[in-house]
Amino acid sequence: MSPILFNLLLRSIGETVIMTLASGLISLLIGLPLGIILIATDRGGLFQNRPVNLALGGLVNAFRSVPFIILLVALIPLTRLIVGTSIGTMAAIVPLSIAAIPYYARMAAVSLREVDRGLIEAARSIGASRWTIIREVIVPESLPGLTAGFTVTLVTLIGASAMAGAVGAGGLGDLAIRYGYQRFETGVMVAVVAVLIVLVCGMQWVGDHITRRVDHR
Amino acid sequence: MNNPFPTIGAHAPLQRDLAATPPVVRLRHVRRSFDGVVALDDISLSVQPGEILGIIGRSGAGKSTLIRTINGLERIDAGQVEFDGQDITGLHETALQPVRRRIGMIFQHFNLLSAKTVAENIGLPLKIAGEARAARNARVAELLELTGLRDKANAYPSQLSGGQKQRVGIARALAAKPLLLLSDEATSALDPETTHSILELLREINRRLGLTIVLITHEMEVIRAIADRVVVLDHGRIVEEGSVFDVFATPRSETTKSLLRSLRPSLPAHIAEHLDVAGGAEIVLRIDVSGDAARRPLLAEAATELGLLPRLLHGGIDHVGDQPIGTLFVAVPAPGPGDRARILRHFNDKVSGLEVLGYVTDPV
């Protein structure tokens, strides 16, 4: 592989990592609260509210049912509004985040819902408010599930970010398509796949490690 | 029957004195049903300061619902719940929070937070109440000492045995210095030995801190070990209520009798098989004794007064609190036609329960 291609590979790795981490962070910051709202407003939840639950659940499902490549194009006007441009790595973070938020919200809701009702009852019995129960019981108790779910979200985002090349976002997927596929640079293709495998394995390893660390069950 | 803790409306001699100390908990005509199924049906009871009240019943009798109405974890359909003189019926969740801080609760499955250490679990009620860290730590240290968990402060619940977990549960329930402790089948998930040590701890807390305890259980053994007074629940109704001794000595309801069966000796099967209802050389009796009757040399008296030698087949004298209670199975020779009546008359005057089970001819 030529030094130019090697530099391109390095830059692409950087772009993929930035896209994944930035949209991952945004999905965590917005998806986790949404997951909390989903379980809290559900039947038997702390803030039971049927209309809010149905509306939010519907919205989450709607976004999750749109294939990412379509979301990517459909969100161009919104992306332009937020970032100022619809092209490039920064621009790709918008659709990636919007796809990852409902994805993580659902994953988080699954873990949050699994908290033993006995623990919530015990917290109520010591006079905890509903917010305290969320802060001291529901979130800490589901932390292993939340970190495992976040790891899966990040890995999924690495895959999705490859498609973001379609809007000129750069990244490893873009490199593989333009050089590996269209210019028959098999070496680039192999290198990209190898890097992706290392990235995914590395993220999974770190994620598993953190999950084990926070799991005291 | 002398009930030291009469309920409202009962005309016991002690009632005037008790009026001076208001009950910690008072339930009046409490009703609750779930989807048409009645869980609590007109429950009225009161809990006096410093006592240990045991509520016993089979599963589905409504005891879980009953104990949860006391701290408002369970709503009621009708009636009134009073805690420490305050009517808490229908209070909003937010208004119940300060009330609950004065009522500790322990659970069958401990319900400890797995993500927090033992010390953090115990300190949680104080954190919720907004206590400063230093005061919290001091109180947690005291509670670790009281429950014998000093070396477990930084362990996580998953590293503890069942008994240790329940000790953490007790420490957490006591953290905010409650006026009342509710125990929801706290020993049902523990082995007999651990059960014993947890009950000892509860008894010690009751004596040392004067803490009032309401516990629910399905085991008479638990009631006998620590309760002062017992309420028997069946299908959401109170079927019997009284001091533990009275209820054990003279159970009136079928539910109570059946719950006591496991604690009371019963005639061994191989003897029961040899019983002949028509007649025989010896008459086999079941004799229930309690209090003073159980302190007498019952069989020796029968021998001298009747001139017949009773034989003990099975049974013995047990103790509830500091009172003896016993069930004896005896075979008494009844050679003559008038002997049966004579024997029965003799025992009838002295014992609280007498039943002719049958006759045996060959010694068994």
Side-chain angles (χ1 to χ4, degrees):
Chain A
M1 201 186 298
S2 71
I4 296 174
L5 278 179
F6 187 73
N7 280 337
L8 261 178
L9 182 66
L10 283 186
R11 210 180 75 191
S12 299
I13 293 173
E15 284 163 352
T16 292
V17 168
I18 286 172
M19 283 191 283
T20 303
L21 291 184
S23 51
L25 194 68
I26 292 167
S27 74
L28 178 67
L29 291 178
I30 301 175
L32 180 58
L34 287 183
I36 292 171
I37 296 171
L38 274 175
I39 60 125
T41 56
D42 203 357
R43 205 174 312 153
L46 289 168
F47 294 86
Q48 184 171 321
N49 188 325
R50 241 14 221 148
V52 171
N53 188 260
L54 285 175
L56 186 62
L59 197 68
V60 163
N61 286 347
F63 271 94
R64 286 183 58 209
S65 56
V66 180
F68 180 62
I69 192 82
I70 295 171
L71 199 65
L72 195 62
V73 180
L75 286 175
I76 285 178
L78 179 72
T79 307
R80 204 170 277 149
L81 198 71
I82 296 173
V83 189
T85 172
S86 60
I87 298 165
T89 306
M90 288 304 141
I93 291 172
V94 175
L96 280 172
S97 301
I98 286 174
I101 288 167
Y103 186 78
Y104 187 61
R106 272 284 177 232
M107 298 256 257
V110 170
S111 300
L112 294 165
R113 206 190 307 274
E114 273 175 12
V115 173
D116 185 353
R117 297 200 68 81
L119 299 184
I120 295 168
E121 188 179 50
R124 287 176 69 207
S125 83
I126 55 175
S129 69
R130 293 180 292 185
W131 286 111
T132 308
I133 293 172
I134 289 172
R135 201 177 57 240
E136 297 284 348
V137 181
I138 295 181
V139 172
E141 287 297 314
S142 40
L143 212 50
L146 293 176
T147 47
F150 185 60
T151 309
V152 173
T153 304
L154 281 183
V155 169
T156 308
L157 276 170
I158 292 179
S161 74
M163 277 182 252
V167 293
L172 288 164
D174 188 36
L175 181 73
I177 292 289
R178 282 196 289 130
Y179 289 81
Y181 179 64
Q182 288 162 351
R183 294 190 193 175
F184 304 102
E185 294 267 10
T186 310
V188 173
M189 198 61 132
V190 170
V192 166
V193 170
V195 168
L196 282 174
I197 290 172
V198 170
L199 264 182
V200 168
C201 289
M203 268 183 195
Q204 193 63 52
W205 185 83
V206 172
D208 288 347
H209 188 75
I210 294 172
T211 302
R212 263 198 306 277
R213 278 289 295 272
V214 298
D215 193 354
H216 299 289
R217 286 174 297 187
Chain B
M1 202 173 299
N2 187 11
N3 179 350
F5 302 107
T7 40
I8 331 138
H11 292 282
L14 278 169
Q15 198 185 15
R16 218 172 27 147
D17 301 325
L18 282 169
T21 49
V24 177
V25 177
R26 180 174 279 173
L27 304 186
R28 284 195 181 99
H29 307 291
V30 168
R31 287 174 192 279
R32 175 75 164 121
S33 51
F34 299 99
D35 302 322
V37 180
V38 178
L40 297 178
D41 187 4
D42 197 24
I43 300 283
S44 294
L45 61 84
S46 55
V47 184
Q48 301 301 329
E51 75 164 321
I52 300 184
L53 173 67
I55 299 170
I56 188 164
R58 295 196 193 86
S59 56
K63 47 194 196 305
S64 281
T65 310
L66 177 54
I67 202 169
R68 280 165 176 74
T69 61
I70 296 175
N71 61 357
L73 286 177
E74 198 69 70
R75 315 223 129 254
I76 59 173
D77 299 332
Q80 194 189 34
V81 181
E82 245 177 52
F83 170 69
D84 194 25
Q86 185 194 355
D87 183 359
I88 63 162
T89 323
L91 277 190
H92 187 265
E93 192 74 10
T94 321
L96 278 171
Q97 282 157 18
V99 176
R100 289 183 184 143
R101 283 173 201 166
R102 300 170 59 212
I103 306 176
M105 189 165 186
I106 55 176
F107 304 87
Q108 178 174 6
H109 298 294
F110 325 122
N111 293 349
L112 302 178
L113 300 176
S114 72
K116 294 190 192 301
T117 63
V118 165
E120 285 167 344
N121 266 288
I122 298 174
L124 189 60
L126 304 169
K127 191 175 174 189
I128 286 170
E131 285 223 26
R133 185 179 291 271
R136 242 152 66 195
N137 290 345
R139 178 74 182 140
V140 168
E142 260 174 57
L143 289 160
L144 287 168
E145 189 72 40
L146 176 74
T147 49
L149 292 164
R150 225 175 333 158
D151 52 335
K152 298 289 179 196
N154 297 314
Y156 284 92
S158 60
Q159 298 165 298
L160 305 180
S161 69
Q164 289 169 332
K165 283 180 191 167
Q166 197 55 287
R167 284 170 185 273
V168 178
I170 292 170
R172 177 176 68 183
L174 297 180
K177 301 190 173 163
L179 189 64
L180 171 69
L181 178 68
L182 303 177
S183 165
D184 176 10
E185 297 270 9
T187 56
S188 298
L190 303 173
D191 60 57
E193 204 175 312
T194 317
T195 293
H196 180 75
S197 81
I198 291 294
L199 293 177
E200 284 282 292
L201 177 62
L202 289 176
R203 193 72 187 149
E204 189 194 328
I205 288 163
N206 167 259
R207 289 202 179 122
R208 269 176 47 184
L209 311 175
L211 183 66
T212 311
I213 300 177
V214 174
L215 62 92
I216 62 171
T217 181
H218 61 274
E219 295 167 312
M220 272 295 184
E221 192 57 55
V222 171
I223 300 285
R224 183 178 73 169
I226 67 167
D228 299 313
R229 202 157 61 87
V230 60
V231 164
V232 183
L233 213 58
D234 190 32
H235 291 99
R237 291 184 145 270
I238 294 179
V239 293
E240 191 152 358
E241 180 177 5
S243 79
V244 171
F245 175 73
D246 287 343
V247 170
F248 272 61
T250 47
R252 279 163 298 153
S253 80
E254 279 312 309
T255 313
T256 317
K257 285 176 189 163
S258 130
L259 285 164
L260 279 170
R261 208 154 288 153
S262 62
L263 277 188
R264 287 303 191 68
S266 57
L267 197 62
H270 73 278
I271 299 181
E273 275 167 23
H274 282 88
L275 286 179
D276 187 344
V277 279
E282 289 177 304
I283 180 168
V284 177
L285 305 170
R286 201 198 73 212
I287 299 172
D288 294 322
V289 286
S290 60
D292 286 337
R295 294 194 185 93
R296 300 165 70 102
L298 214 60
L299 299 183
E301 278 175 7
T304 44
E305 288 174 29
L306 293 168
L308 302 166
L309 296 178
R311 204 154 59 80
L312 182 60
L313 297 175
H314 185 64
I317 305 289
D318 199 358
H319 291 264
V320 172
D322 51 3
Q323 294 288 325
I325 287 182
T327 297
L328 308 173
F329 293 90
V330 283
V332 192
D339 286 337
R340 178 194 154 107
R342 204 156 62 88
I343 292 165
L344 294 186
R345 213 177 313 119
H346 169 82
F347 282 113
N348 234 335
D349 297 342
K350 307 188 174 195
V351 302
S352 53
L354 183 64
E355 192 187 347
V356 179
L357 300 173
Y359 298 86
V360 284
T361 306
D362 304 315
V364 281

